[in-house]
Structure formats: C-alpha cells, structure tokens
Amino acid sequence: MGRRKALVLGGYGLIGSACMRALAAAGFEVVGMGRSGAAARASDAGAEWVIQDIPSVSVAEWRALLAGVDVVVNAAGALQDGARNDLEAIHVSAVARLVEAAGPGLRIVQISAAGVSAEASTAFFRTKARGDAIVQGAADWVILRPVLVLAEEAYGGTALLRAAAGLPWVLPQVLPGAQVQTVHVGDLAGAVVAAARGEVPSGTVADLTEAGSRSFPEVLVAVRRWQGWPEPVLRPRVPGVVLAGLGRCADLLGHLGWRSPLRTTALRALSAGVRGDPAAWARVGGRPCRALEETLATLPATRQERLFARAYWALPLSIGVLSLFWVATGAITLSDPGRAVSLLTQRGVAEGVAWGAVIGGAVADLALGCAILWRRWARPAALGMVGLSALYLISAVVVAPDLWADPLGPMVKVLPGMVLALIVWLWVEER
C-alpha cells in the first residue's frame, strides 16, 4: 500500500507551510497549492506544487485535482477584502466547490479560527463560519480553530507583535483589556497530522489553544523579554482613536495590495480578545497545546530575530519617504518648468530638447512616486528610481559637470536616495 496523499491549500503560508513539513515528516505524500509560483518556490523549492488561484477552481477541476488524494488541508484564507483578496470567494465559494467535488473517501481538515460565528463583528469571522458550516456537509471532516499562532517565521500579526515588542526604549500599551491566548505552530501542525491520520474522529470541531490567557500588553512584555531587549524607558498608552486611525489608513493601503496586520479587521478581533476553549480538543484525546512561555522557550531568539524586529518599521517608512520625495520633485519641477529649462539651455542644450527632458523627467518622477505605493509595482518602481537617478547623474556629468562642485552637493545627495530605493527593492517580497 502506497503512501497516503495530502493536498494543502495555502501551502506556502505561515500555517500551510508548517502543515506541509509536518505531513511530509509523518510519511504523507504532500502537494501544496496556491496562486503564486514565486512564493511557492521560496517556501519550498523541492516540494510538489499546484499553482492555481484557489477561488477560481471549478467543481470539475477540483475532481481532477482530488484524484488519488486522501486528505485536503485547507489552510488558505485572507484577513480582509482588498486588491488581492475576496473573503467571500476564498472562505465560502471555494470551500463550497471543494466540498461538492469531494468523494466519500476524502477527509477535509479545515483550519478555521477561534471565535468564528455567523453574528461576528468582522467579515473575516462571518465568512469563516459560513465556510465551516459548508465543510460540515462533507462526508468526513475535522475543523480546527487555532488562536494566535506563534512560529519561527514572522508574518502578519506575529511580525507586528515582534516589531512592537522590539521598539527602542518604548513599549506601547495597546488594548489593555484584550485577553489573548496563543498556540505554537508545531502544536497546530501536529493536530493536523493527527486529523490526517484519522486519529481525530470525524465531526470534531475543536479550538487549539493554551489553557491560560493574558492581556495583550502582558504578551508584548513576554515577547520583548524573549527577544532579549532591556526594559523599556517609556510605556506610553496608545489611545483607541489612534489605533482606529491607523486601521483606516491600513485599510486604504489594502486597496493598493498591502496586507497590513493593522487593518481594522485585525484590530477589532484583537480588541475583542483572541481566546478559545481547549476542552473539545482534550475530549478527543488531543495533545495539550504549549503555554506562551513554553512556546517562546522553544523558538530561537537569534540575532536575526532582533534585526527583523527593529527593521520591520523601516520598510513602510522608506517607501513613504521615497514616494514623498519623488512626487515632490516632480511637482516642484512642473510648478516652474521654465526655470529648469533655463538651467539646461544656459549649458548649451537645445531648447526643445531641454523642455522634453524637463517635462518627461518630472512626469517620470511623479509616476514612480505614485507607483511605489502600489504593492504590485513597488519593486519595479524602486528599481526604476535607481535607474532614473543613475540617468540623472550621468546626464549631469555630460551636460552640467559644474553641479558636482556645487557647495550644496545636489548631485552627491542623489546617491543616498538610490541606496534607499535599492534597499526597498531588496526588502519587498512575497512570503
């Protein structure tokens, strides 16, 4: 008898990648599925992948994909509607077609979230609850509902948690009334393996959580100590109105393709508390999940961890500065193009060529400054900034070499901007 086969939806995500590794270690033949080939290869270049947009898969296509598959682990999901995400499509429609295509010998392991309900305050929880209800119409199913998942990898909310805890000299007091429980990603992956093996009865709905809970500020303190930082000098309280404003800004960025963990859905869920009940998991013989202290003791707090925490805020700051700089330079030039043209004509450039260079350069500056704010174009825009800056520098050598000797150093000051754009190009990547 050959190895059992598992198909993991969202296999390159934080949870999905852990499930793929755990299932492979348990002897399963594992296939991952997701829409980004680049993200899949970055997650595990040696794994077998199906590259397809999950919400677009038809019932007939699901039947073909499920041929020979014994277990489907659904770790695909999105936090909030945005430029790249449709909650109804990924949490409900895709699940409905999957269940319709599922044969009687297929087990579906649905990874949901603790606290889902049809009456929840966020679309994330409501659509997850509807997806869970659809899964319960399958022949063989298990629904696992983790609380806040902590892992070696920093992504989304766990990345924000690390970054907030690692702020220099400051530890913000955020959502003091929110009670939080955590689960180690290894405990979640172990539960998925147990369900895939058939060790968990069909029809099980169980939260995966540690037994105790603590306030969100207490979690931040624990993470900061784990990272190895000294005690903070300041512990400022962050007003709710400030958090709400940050959430709305993050929502706007979501329409540009940025999936910030500060979006209103995450903040609402966190303010309501992230809690579960381990009783159902214990009743089916599930292994108890580790407490936060045990989880942190298991995870390595390395130099890379600390560098990530401190560098987390640098990326949005760098993108914002670059966008402001390039939009401002383009707008300033267009506000008085004749002045820039005269600088060129005084150095022997033909007037027509000068006007073309000035207007074209200003428009290019504006385009790059706006494009870097759009997630899809951030990396090409950053590279374009480097290239256009280099073109400006070379042109200055040919046309206006005297500017290099200017006491204010207008040409030399271009170089730090090029380096900053190059850093953004290196940092921005898919998970």
Side-chain angles (χ1 to χ4, degrees):
M1 184 176 182
R3 291 191 300 166
R4 301 189 72 208
K5 186 174 182 180
L7 176 64
V8 181
L9 313 185
Y12 50 72
L14 177 72
I15 294 172
S17 59
C19 291
M20 287 188 63
R21 291 191 297 269
L23 287 164
F28 282 82
E29 179 186 348
V30 183
V31 178
M33 185 173 179
R35 65 184 170 189
S36 172
R41 289 188 296 272
S43 174
D44 189 346
E48 182 179 350
W49 293 96
V50 174
I51 304 304
Q52 195 162 351
D53 187 32
I54 294 171
S56 70
V57 180
S58 67
V59 174
E61 289 172 323
W62 274 121
R63 290 195 177 107
L65 287 169
L66 296 176
V69 173
D70 302 289
V71 181
V72 171
V73 178
N74 183 17
L79 179 66
Q80 190 168 319
D81 288 324
R84 298 188 292 167
N85 298 304
D86 183 333
L87 296 184
E88 181 74 17
I90 189 64
H91 292 163
V92 182
S93 301
V95 172
R97 289 192 286 269
L98 169 65
V99 170
E100 183 179 348
L106 178 74
R107 165 162 283 202
I108 298 176
V109 181
Q110 166 89 338
I111 300 177
S112 184
V116 302
S117 76
E119 296 78 31
S121 61
T122 67
F124 170 78
F125 283 131
R126 292 193 299 271
T127 54
K128 273 289 190 182
R130 290 171 59 197
D132 289 358
I134 292 170
V135 168
Q136 291 173 5
D140 186 5
W141 55 270
V142 172
I143 297 175
L144 302 175
R145 293 173 171 171
V147 288
L148 181 63
V149 180
L150 297 182
E152 292 85 351
E153 181 183 2
Y155 186 82
T158 61
L160 182 62
L161 182 66
R162 286 162 153 95
L167 285 170
W169 309 297
V170 175
L171 187 64
Q173 299 297 293
V174 184
L175 303 173
Q179 290 293 306
V180 177
Q181 290 173 294
T182 63
V183 60
H184 189 292
V185 72
D187 293 335
L188 171 54
V192 168
V193 170
R197 284 174 166 167
E199 298 168 2
V200 179
S202 180
T204 295
V205 180
D207 294 339
L208 294 179
T209 176
E210 60 180 326
S213 68
R214 58 199 55 77
S215 70
F216 186 70
E218 289 173 328
V219 174
L220 279 178
V221 169
V223 172
R224 186 180 181 92
R225 289 174 179 167
W226 164 70
Q227 290 173 326
W229 303 115
E231 289 296 313
V233 177
L234 300 173
R235 297 174 184 260
R237 184 178 293 273
V238 180
V241 65
V242 173
L243 278 181
L246 289 173
R248 285 191 288 271
C249 290
D251 288 347
L252 291 174
L253 291 175
H255 293 293
L256 295 176
W258 300 98
R259 295 182 288 187
S260 169
L262 279 172
R263 284 175 290 176
T264 52
T265 293
L267 293 178
R268 285 178 188 169
L270 190 57
S271 62
V274 183
R275 290 169 292 180
D277 184 353
W281 183 239
R283 281 196 298 271
V284 297
R287 182 177 178 179
C289 297
R290 281 166 276 197
L292 174 63
E293 295 77 13
E294 295 175 273
T295 294
L296 294 178
T298 302
L299 301 176
T302 62
R303 180 172 180 269
Q304 291 94 320
E305 172 70 39
R306 287 184 285 275
L307 285 174
F308 172 85
R310 289 286 166 89
Y312 182 86
W313 305 105
L315 179 59
L317 179 62
S318 299
I319 290 174
V321 168
L322 284 170
S323 176
L324 181 62
F325 172 77
W326 283 80
V327 168
T329 54
I332 290 171
T333 300
L334 290 177
S335 69
D336 188 8
R339 184 178 178 184
V341 169
S342 66
L343 290 174
L344 295 179
T345 55
Q346 290 170 9
R347 291 167 172 82
V349 178
E351 185 172 355
V353 174
W355 275 101
V358 168
I359 299 301
V363 171
D365 289 355
L366 287 170
L368 289 171
C370 293
I372 200 170
L373 295 176
W374 190 11
R375 174 64 183 81
R376 181 180 177 184
W377 293 104
R379 294 191 82 232
L383 202 59
M385 290 173 177
V386 174
L388 189 56
S389 296
L391 180 61
Y392 288 156
L393 294 179
I394 294 171
S395 299
V397 170
V398 175
V399 177
D402 57 294
L403 291 178
W404 284 92
D406 190 298
L408 296 179
M411 294 294 99
V412 176
K413 290 176 181 176
V414 175
L415 297 174
M418 294 176 66
V419 173
L420 186 61
L422 183 60
I423 289 173
V424 169
W425 179 75
L426 291 170
W427 275 351
V428 175
E429 66 171 1
E430 289 286 352
R431 57 176 171 178

